[in-house]
Amino acid sequence: MRVAALVGPTAVGKTELSVALADRLDAEIVSIDSMQIYEGMDIGTAKASSDQRERVPHHLLDIRLPGYEITVAEFQTLARAAMERIHSRFRMPLLVGGSGLYFRAVVDNLEIPARSQEVRDELEARVDEEGPEALHERLVELDPKAAARIEPGNARRTIRALEVIELTGKPFSDNDSWDRYESIYDLQVAGLTRDRADLYARIERRVDRMLEAGLVEEVRRLEPHMSRTARQALGYRQVLESAPETLRDDIVRATKRFARRQESWFRSDPRIRWFDAGDPDVEKIADYLEG
């Protein structure tokens, strides 16, 4: 199957460009954003607009309620099934998003370790009692390589790494399938990049728009029904944990930090050809993605 992908950090301009590319490629878009699957989490996840969805079919948006705990393995299954359906219509799947973990899980032949709800419950209880940073310190002791890739405050990913160590007796980072960039598809990947100052300015403007659009009200409405995974979403976590007077700056700071980590993740993938999002040439990018 021929598959195209458009990746890059948050706020770089993927959504707008992806619709133009899909028109040019006769493609349908498959979101590879781990939080856009949640129905009702709209403002903070910057989903494609209704007009954009009418123009181009989008998949894996609004398919689960916020109380649902999505796993990488389930997302992999859902995305690949959507791609098969698109392919059966003689159209090209265009993967779009900034979640490097979910992108790799979908396109590559990765080993995804088993899960244990009992182990997760124990680790989640420790997070509640001690905080995510304390659990991250434990991961630093057991698997420093994995810990270096995970923010100390990211409880969800820290728990997952410790869960794998508990179940397998091996470091989470020992899974060498993640070091091989060998897709199961005929894959072409375009990456979007911007000058760092320009990207940061766009992040600040996006956060301001989200707050003006009612992000706080959206989070408060969903809060009683949100899973631990949903609560970790950028913006949502800050609304739940930050003081009102520091909320805007906390979201901006966390988003900039996340964007840097996204760039670092994608830069390590040798298959990605990078394009300037400040002056994107749709025809040139489309020609590249067509191979």
Side-chain angles (χ1 to χ4, degrees), residues 3-54:
V3 175
L6 182 68
V7 301
T10 186
V12 76
K14 298 184 297 295
T15 301
E16 298 85 349
L17 182 59
S18 67
V19 174
L21 288 172
D23 279 341
R24 172 68 170 74
L25 297 169
D26 191 29
E28 298 182 23
I29 293 172
V30 179
S31 168
I32 46 172
D33 186 297
S34 59
M35 297 300 171
Q36 290 189 353
I37 67 162
Y38 289 122
E39 183 179 353
M41 292 176 60
D42 301 324
I43 297 173
T45 61
K47 292 174 185 171
S49 67
S50 56
D51 289 342
Q52 289 169 326
R53 296 194 213 185
E54 287 179 8

Side-chain angles (χ1 to χ4, degrees), residues 195-215:
D195 173 77
R196 182 64 60 85
D198 182 23
L199 179 64
Y200 281 0
R202 286 173 62 90
I203 287 173
E204 295 197 21
R205 290 195 297 271
R206 171 181 280 190
V207 171
D208 288 337
R209 288 196 302 271
M210 288 177 173
L211 291 171
E212 291 168 4
L215 175 62

Side-chain angles (χ1 to χ4, degrees), residues 208-247:
D208 288 337
R209 288 196 302 271
M210 288 177 173
L211 291 171
E212 291 168 4
L215 175 62
V216 174
E217 292 76 14
E218 179 176 274
V219 176
R220 296 305 181 198
R221 185 176 67 254
L222 296 173
E223 181 180 3
H225 315 290
M226 296 176 75
S227 66
R228 186 178 294 272
T229 297
R231 288 170 178 268
Q232 295 298 314
L234 265 178
Y236 296 82
R237 178 180 177 182
Q238 285 71 37
V239 171
L240 293 171
E241 298 180 358
S242 296
E245 60 271 18
T246 65
L247 175 60

Side-chain angles (χ1 to χ4, degrees), residues 78-112:
L78 291 169
R80 289 178 177 177
M83 294 159 66
E84 290 287 351
R85 292 193 297 271
I86 295 168
H87 182 64
S88 72
R89 293 190 285 271
F90 303 101
R91 307 192 79 190
M92 178 183 285
L94 174 60
L95 309 181
V96 179
S99 176
L101 172 63
Y102 283 66
F103 167 68
R104 292 289 313 279
V106 171
V107 301
D108 292 339
N109 187 26
L110 300 178
E111 299 174 17
I112 301 178

Side-chain angles (χ1 to χ4, degrees), residues 1 24 35 61 70 93 114 130 142 174 280:
M1 186 193 305
R24 172 68 170 74
M35 297 300 171
L61 300 181
I70 188 72
E130 306 170 26
L142 297 176
D174 270 7

